[in-house]
Amino acid sequence: MSEIPGQLKFTRDHEWVREHDDGTVEVGITDHAQTALGDLVFIELPDTGGSFTAHDACCVVESVKAASDVYCPLAGTIVNTNEILIEKPELVNDDPYGEGWLFRLRPDLPGELEGLLDDKNYERLLAEDNE
Amino acid sequence: MQHTPLYQAHVDLGARMVDFGGWSMPISYGSQISEHHTVRRGAGVFDVSHMTILDFKGTEVGSFLRRVLANDVSKLQSEGQALYSCMLREDGGILDDLIVYWFGGERFRIISNAATCTKDLAWFREVASGTAVEIDQRKDLAMLAVQGPRAREIVAKSILHSKKCLALGPFFSTQIGNYMLARTGYTGEDGFEVILPAKNVCGFWEALLKHGVVPCGLGSRDTLRLEAGLNLYGADMDESVSPLRCGLKWTVALGEERDFIGRQALYHELKAGLKDKQVGLILNGKGVLRAGYSVRTVFGSGTLTSGSYSPTLGCSIAFARVPVQSERACEVEIRGRWHDARIVKPPFVRHGKIEVDMLQGETA
């Protein structure tokens, strides 16, 4: 059973979003996603300053098996990226909700975050996918 | 979806199961990279019971195999000896690759791929029709590959208690009771492939795990074979290419005295001159090479046929089909950008040791 922390928001593409007091959000991939991908060996982070709309492919995570796009969960501008992952991509496997965060985003639309899934709804999505 | 007799054992171990040519097989039991390292340093076991096992016998079996296979079974001089071969169409395209074992007299066994089973069987039956050759598909058997520097010792001493199997030379097989033991594999490490009655495979698997052999999925099998410079059917070769274009010329016995299927086509291909060849690639920077990516050299362009991350080298490696003159530097397109790579001669790794010059790229 994969871990799904409360307080986070989730997308149908298995990204998580953590809201910070300064109005920016931190984004990563869920425990379910990292398990499905397997050992990660390379991460192509977005450029700081880059702006995306929701569902834009903005980052690539590569496991031994395959390359997968990570989609921007909300419209916004990239303000920071987790550059440690360039040397240590395995942090995404080891700690997907903590040290394995991918990038920080300043959202364009304040209300958009509320449209994402909460932990209960994300858990339901995983249960449906399993059926 | 088809299941091997070990399906439940894989699920109970928490394996991630995926579709491999219609078979539900374990890709990994946790970390694919750690399974890879286990095989290079210790001992791992793969369930490969999905592979096709065919027994051949009959008075005309020798001449049949000399016609249907691109390598020559008359090279098999001792009982139990094994030979790697391609099976070709008339136009030289590869129908499958396989290992043929000679059991003595007029008895042979062929192990071929899982996804090609129906096609192979139909082809063998067509070529054999009207001859004294009997073909028996052994669905009653299972197969395990126990691989790694510690593999042979554990199997021989702790499980089979047989000195006979430790004395087995590379690419030889022997029968121990109703188990067939072959010193073959697909990882670049020493080890055994064990073919045994399906009803015994769960017990044998349990015994291996009890003696410290680590279950490994087909994900690590793929990175191990790539490092070892071994082709994968359906990726590095298929019906559209001949063995001459995918690094397998050494497996084709082109001697004039034998008229095997595909010989004429290969003869003409050689006479006309080969335009491309298969090579190994190492990516100089970060990123992962994947099958289908484009490669360019000063002599023209080519394509990657397999690519992945090499756990032993700690960087990405690939096989590519490139213009025949290509050497040293090339570039690979990854998501619209060209990245520097270098051309090397596989294998990348054999018996736990790196076989390619890792500094070449930096100094060139």
Side-chain angles (χ1 to χ4, degrees):
Chain A
M1 196 57 216
S2 65
E3 189 199 341
I4 306 174
Q7 298 101 38
L8 300 186
K9 293 286 190 177
F10 300 88
T11 71
R12 296 188 163 272
D13 301 314
H14 310 285
E15 290 96 16
W16 58 259
V17 180
R18 179 181 287 126
E19 198 174 8
H20 284 267
D21 292 340
D22 64 357
T24 64
V25 299
E26 203 171 74
V27 179
I29 63 168
T30 66
D31 188 32
H32 170 82
Q34 70 79 16
T35 308
L37 291 166
D39 294 321
L40 292 174
V41 293
F42 178 66
I43 295 178
E44 197 174 279
L45 294 165
D47 293 331
T48 300
S51 90
F52 296 93
T53 60
H55 313 297
D56 277 354
C58 65
C59 176
V60 180
V61 290
E62 298 214 33
S63 69
V64 185
K65 275 180 279 176
S68 305
D69 287 321
V70 175
Y71 300 97
C72 205
L74 308 164
T77 304
I78 306 289
V79 294
N80 195 8
T81 61
N82 188 5
E83 300 209 353
I84 300 164
L85 299 182
I86 295 167
E87 292 307 321
K88 293 185 162 186
E90 65 273 16
L91 287 176
V92 176
N93 294 113
D94 298 342
D95 189 8
Y97 299 112
E99 286 189 80
W101 65 279
L102 296 173
F103 55 87
R104 222 181 236 236
L105 185 77
R106 182 169 296 285
D108 290 340
L109 313 163
E112 205 177 11
L113 184 66
E114 298 316 307
L116 300 181
L117 305 172
D118 63 14
D119 55 333
K120 294 283 173 292
N121 283 322
Y122 182 63
E123 196 177 340
R124 208 165 295 142
L125 176 83
L126 292 188
E128 283 165 16
D129 283 356
N130 237 335
E131 276 166 19
Chain B
M1 191 76 72
Q2 301 191 74
H3 291 171
T4 76
L6 283 165
Y7 174 79
Q8 196 54 48
H10 300 318
V11 172
D12 292 346
L13 283 166
R16 284 189 56 76
M17 305 298 287
V18 295
D19 180 358
F20 262 83
W23 292 77
S24 178
M25 300 300 288
I27 189 148
S28 166
Y29 300 83
S31 165
Q32 175 173 342
I33 291 178
S34 106
E35 289 165 21
H36 180 108
H37 290 314
T38 295
V39 172
R40 289 269 176 259
R41 298 165 188 169
V45 56
F46 303 87
D47 177 17
V48 286
S49 304
H50 60 317
M51 295 192 76
T52 304
I53 305 172
L54 301 172
D55 283 352
F56 294 78
K57 62 178 180 186
T59 53
E60 289 177 275
V61 74
S63 57
F64 162 73
L65 291 173
R66 294 189 81 211
R67 170 144 179 76
V68 80
L69 301 182
N71 210 340
D72 189 351
V73 292
S74 65
K75 289 179 185 171
L76 298 172
Q77 295 294 321
S78 314
E79 277 186 30
Q81 205 178 346
L83 183 74
Y84 175 79
S85 181
C86 288
M87 175 162 77
L88 308 180
R89 309 195 305 197
E90 286 291 358
D91 68 359
I94 303 174
L95 282 162
D96 206 358
D97 70 326
L98 53 88
I99 291 181
V100 55
Y101 297 90
W102 181 44
F103 288 164
E106 289 151 353
R107 295 186 312 123
F108 292 84
R109 172 168 289 170
I110 285 180
I111 314 280
S112 61
N113 288 295
T116 49
C117 180
T118 310
K119 177 180 84 172
D120 290 359
L121 206 50
W123 181 257
F124 281 128
R125 287 192 171 132
E126 187 187 321
V127 178
S129 73
T131 68
V133 174
E134 274 180 62
I135 305 170
D136 184 14
Q137 187 183 1
R138 300 298 304 272
K139 287 189 173 176
D140 57 318
L141 299 177
M143 180 164 164
L144 298 178
V146 193
Q147 303 278 298
R150 293 188 55 229
R152 287 169 58 234
E153 194 184 334
I154 294 172
V155 171
K157 288 190 182 161
S158 304
I159 302 178
L160 295 177
H161 309 289
S162 160
K163 285 194 182 134
K164 179 177 156 191
C165 60
L166 267 189
L168 207 58
F171 250 64
F172 273 86
S173 71
T174 189
Q175 203 75 24
I176 295 174
N178 49 8
Y179 289 23
M180 173 187 162
L181 214 74
R183 195 168 165 193
T184 48
Y186 192 48
T187 60
E189 297 302 321
D190 208 340
F192 288 130
E193 290 181 302
V194 186
I195 297 175
L196 68 173
K199 62 176 171 16
N200 298 127
V201 72
C202 289
F204 193 78
W205 171 269
E206 288 294 325
L208 288 168
L209 268 50
K210 211 180 90 190
H211 286 95
V213 180
V214 175
C216 295
L218 299 186
S220 55
R221 188 169 153 88
D222 189 54
T223 50
L224 287 158
R225 71 92 193 165
L226 187 66
E227 286 187 348
L230 301 169
N231 281 6
L232 172 65
Y233 190 79
D236 309 302
M237 53 189 170
D238 57 29
E239 293 186 28
S240 73
V241 292
S242 85
L244 306 178
R245 296 177 59 208
C246 53
L248 294 178
K249 183 166 180 247
W250 64 276
T251 72
V252 181
L254 269 170
E256 278 181 21
E257 68 289 352
R258 188 176 66 104
D259 184 26
F260 62 90
I261 298 172
R263 187 182 182 283
Q264 280 303 315
L266 299 194
Y267 175 79
H268 289 298
E269 196 178 8
L270 266 183
K271 210 171 145 191
L274 295 170
K275 290 181 187 63
D276 52 17
K277 63 175 177 183
Q278 184 175 308
V279 295
L281 294 191
I282 300 178
L283 185 64
N284 289 346
K286 291 194 175 292
V288 187
L289 302 172
R290 305 282 180 191
Y293 285 2
S294 295
V295 49
R296 64 185 185 195
T297 74
V298 289
F299 300 100
S301 58
T303 310
L304 305 198
T305 56
S306 281
S308 191
Y309 174 78
S310 160
T312 308
L313 270 60
C315 63
S316 183
I317 59 171
F319 295 156
R321 195 163 296 124
V322 293
V324 74
Q325 314 91 321
S326 311
E327 53 176 7
R328 295 198 281 273
C330 66
E331 288 178 295
V332 180
E333 188 181 20
I334 304 175
R335 293 184 284 276
R337 285 185 208 167
W338 291 92
H339 295 255
D340 290 336
R342 56 194 195 272
I343 294 172
V344 296
K345 189 179 179 337
F348 301 91
V349 181
R350 269 287 157 97
H351 300 302
K353 290 200 179 64
I354 294 174
E355 300 276 328
V356 287
D357 186 357
M358 293 304 291
L359 294 173
Q360 209 177 340
E362 277 86 48
T363 54

